[in-house]
Every structure is written in C-alpha cells, then in structure tokens.
Coordinates of all heavy atoms in Angstrom, one line a residue:
A11 N 102.7 84.5 28.5 CA 101.6 85.4 28.0 C 100.8 86.0 29.1 O 100.4 87.1 29.0 CB 100.8 84.5 27.0
I12 N 100.5 85.1 30.1 CA 99.7 85.7 31.3 C 100.5 86.7 32.0 O 100.0 87.7 32.3 CB 99.4 84.5 32.1 CG1 98.4 83.6 31.5 CG2 98.7 85.0 33.5 CD1 98.0 82.2 32.2
L13 N 101.8 86.4 32.3 CA 102.6 87.4 33.1 C 102.9 88.7 32.4 O 103.0 89.7 33.1 CB 104.0 86.7 33.5 CG 103.9 85.5 34.4 CD1 105.3 84.9 34.7 CD2 103.2 85.9 35.8
Y14 N 102.9 88.6 31.1 CA 103.1 89.9 30.3 C 101.8 90.6 29.8 O 101.9 91.4 29.0 CB 104.1 89.6 29.1 CG 105.5 89.5 29.6 CD1 106.1 88.3 29.8 CD2 106.4 90.7 29.7 CE1 107.4 88.1 30.2 CE2 107.7 90.5 30.0 CZ 108.2 89.2 30.4 OH 109.5 89.1 30.7
G15 N 100.7 90.0 30.3 CA 99.4 90.6 30.0 C 98.9 90.3 28.6 O 98.0 91.1 28.1
K16 N 99.5 89.4 27.9 CA 98.9 89.0 26.6 C 97.8 88.0 26.7 O 97.9 86.8 26.4 CB 100.2 88.4 25.8 CG 101.4 89.3 25.7 CD 101.1 90.7 25.0 CE 102.4 91.5 24.9 NZ 102.1 92.8 24.3
F17 N 96.7 88.5 27.2 CA 95.6 87.6 27.4 C 95.0 87.0 26.2 O 94.5 85.9 26.3 CB 94.5 88.3 28.3 CG 95.0 88.7 29.7 CD1 95.2 90.0 30.1 CD2 95.5 87.7 30.6 CE1 95.7 90.4 31.3 CE2 95.9 88.1 31.9 CZ 96.0 89.4 32.2
H18 N 95.0 87.6 25.1 CA 94.5 87.0 23.9 C 95.3 85.7 23.6 O 94.8 84.7 23.3 CB 94.7 88.0 22.7 CG 93.5 89.0 22.5 ND1 93.5 90.3 23.2 CD2 92.3 88.9 22.0 CE1 92.5 90.9 22.9 NE2 91.7 90.1 22.3
A19 N 96.6 85.9 23.5 CA 97.5 84.7 23.3 C 97.3 83.6 24.2 O 97.2 82.4 23.9 CB 99.0 85.3 23.2
A20 N 97.2 84.0 25.5 CA 97.1 83.1 26.6 C 95.8 82.3 26.4 O 95.7 81.1 26.6 CB 97.1 83.7 28.0
F21 N 94.7 83.0 26.0 CA 93.4 82.4 25.9 C 93.4 81.3 24.9 O 93.0 80.2 25.0 CB 92.3 83.4 25.6 CG 91.0 82.8 25.3 CD1 90.1 82.5 26.4 CD2 90.5 82.6 24.0 CE1 88.8 82.0 26.1 CE2 89.2 82.1 23.7 CZ 88.5 81.8 24.8
Y22 N 94.0 81.7 23.7 CA 94.0 80.8 22.6 C 95.0 79.5 22.7 O 94.7 78.5 22.4 CB 94.4 81.4 21.3 CG 93.5 82.4 20.8 CD1 93.7 83.9 20.6 CD2 92.1 82.0 20.4 CE1 92.8 84.7 20.2 CE2 91.2 82.9 20.0 CZ 91.5 84.3 19.9 OH 90.5 85.2 19.5
L23 N 96.0 79.8 23.5 CA 97.0 78.7 23.9 C 96.3 77.7 24.8 O 96.4 76.5 24.6 CB 98.2 79.2 24.5 CG 99.2 79.9 23.5 CD1 100.4 80.6 24.3 CD2 99.8 78.9 22.6
V24 N 95.6 78.2 25.8 CA 94.9 77.4 26.8 C 93.7 76.6 26.1 O 93.5 75.4 26.4 CB 94.4 78.1 28.1 CG1 93.5 77.3 29.0 CG2 95.6 78.8 28.8
F25 N 93.1 77.3 25.2 CA 92.0 76.7 24.6 C 92.5 75.6 23.6 O 91.9 74.5 23.6 CB 91.2 77.7 23.7 CG 90.0 77.1 23.0 CD1 88.8 77.0 23.7 CD2 90.1 76.9 21.6 CE1 87.7 76.5 23.1 CE2 88.9 76.3 21.0 CZ 87.8 76.1 21.7
A26 N 93.5 75.7 23.0 CA 94.2 74.8 22.1 C 94.6 73.6 23.0 O 94.5 72.4 22.6 CB 95.3 75.3 21.3
A27 N 95.2 73.9 24.1 CA 95.8 72.9 25.0 C 94.6 72.0 25.5 O 94.7 70.7 25.7 CB 96.5 73.5 26.1
G28 N 93.5 72.6 25.8 CA 92.3 71.9 26.3 C 91.7 71.0 25.3 O 91.3 69.9 25.5
L29 N 91.8 71.4 23.9 CA 91.4 70.6 22.9 C 92.3 69.4 22.7 O 91.8 68.2 22.5 CB 91.3 71.3 21.6 CG 90.2 72.4 21.3 CD1 90.4 73.1 20.0 CD2 88.8 71.9 21.6
T30 N 93.6 69.6 22.9 CA 94.4 68.4 22.8 C 94.2 67.4 23.9 O 94.5 66.2 23.7 CB 95.9 68.8 22.9 OG1 96.2 69.4 24.2 CG2 96.2 69.9 21.8
D31 N 93.7 67.8 25.0 CA 93.4 66.9 26.2 C 92.3 65.9 25.7 O 92.4 64.7 26.2 CB 92.9 67.7 27.3 CG 92.9 66.8 28.6 OD1 93.6 65.8 28.6 OD2 92.1 67.2 29.5
G32 N 91.4 66.2 24.9 CA 90.4 65.3 24.4 C 90.8 64.6 23.2 O 90.6 63.4 23.0
I33 N 91.6 65.2 22.4 CA 92.1 64.6 21.1 C 93.1 63.4 21.3 O 93.0 62.4 20.6 CB 92.7 65.7 20.2 CG1 91.8 66.7 19.7 CG2 93.4 65.0 19.0 CD1 92.3 67.8 18.9
D34 N 94.0 63.7 22.3 CA 95.0 62.5 22.5 C 94.3 61.3 23.0 O 94.6 60.2 22.6 CB 96.1 63.0 23.4 CG 95.6 63.4 24.8 OD1 94.4 63.4 25.1 OD2 96.4 64.0 25.6
G35 N 93.4 61.4 23.9 CA 92.6 60.3 24.4 C 91.8 59.6 23.2 O 91.7 58.3 23.2
L36 N 91.2 60.3 22.4 CA 90.4 59.8 21.2 C 91.3 59.1 20.4 O 90.9 58.0 19.8 CB 89.7 61.0 20.6 CG 88.7 60.6 19.4 CD1 87.6 59.7 19.9 CD2 88.2 61.9 18.8
L37 N 92.4 59.7 20.0 CA 93.4 59.1 19.0 C 93.8 57.8 19.6 O 94.0 56.8 18.8 CB 94.5 60.0 18.7 CG 94.2 61.2 17.8 CD1 95.3 62.1 17.5 CD2 93.7 60.5 16.4
A38 N 94.2 57.8 20.9 CA 94.7 56.6 21.5 C 93.8 55.4 21.4 O 94.2 54.2 21.2 CB 95.0 56.9 23.0
R39 N 92.5 55.6 21.5 CA 91.5 54.6 21.4 C 91.2 54.2 19.9 O 91.1 53.1 19.7 CB 90.1 55.1 22.1 CG 90.2 55.2 23.6 CD 88.8 55.4 24.2 NE 88.3 56.8 23.8 CZ 88.6 57.9 24.5 NH1 89.3 57.8 25.6 NH2 88.0 59.0 24.1
K40 N 91.2 55.3 19.1 CA 90.9 54.9 17.7 C 92.0 54.2 17.1 O 91.8 53.3 16.1 CB 90.6 56.2 16.9 CG 89.3 56.9 17.3 CD 88.0 56.1 16.9 CE 86.7 56.8 17.2 NZ 85.5 56.0 16.9
L41 N 93.3 54.6 17.4 CA 94.4 54.0 16.7 C 95.1 52.8 17.4 O 96.0 52.2 17.0 CB 95.5 55.0 16.5 CG 95.1 56.3 15.7 CD1 96.3 57.3 15.6 CD2 94.7 55.9 14.2
G42 N 94.4 52.4 18.5 CA 95.0 51.4 19.4 C 96.2 51.8 20.0 O 97.1 50.8 20.2

C-alpha cells in the first residue's frame, strides 16, 4: 500500500495493527 501510494489503505492497516498490539496483551492477561 505504501509503495503504490495507497496511503488511505496503509493508514487504516497500520492503525488496525497498532490496535492489535494492545488487544493481544489484554486478552492474554484476561484469558490467562
């Protein structure tokens, strides 16, 4: 997406990936 200039798609993908960075740790603690 970045190399082909699709910055809208790249932005949303990076934003979603950033959210998963917090979600996976939270789930690991909550679910043991």
Side-chain angles (χ1 to χ4, degrees):
I12 293 174
L13 293 180
Y14 283 94
K16 307 296 183 181
F17 294 114
H18 277 95
F21 176 83
Y22 291 121
L23 286 172
V24 174
F25 185 78
L29 289 179
T30 65
D31 189 24
I33 292 174
D34 58 5
L36 180 63
L37 285 176
R39 291 187 294 271
K40 292 292 185 181
L41 302 178

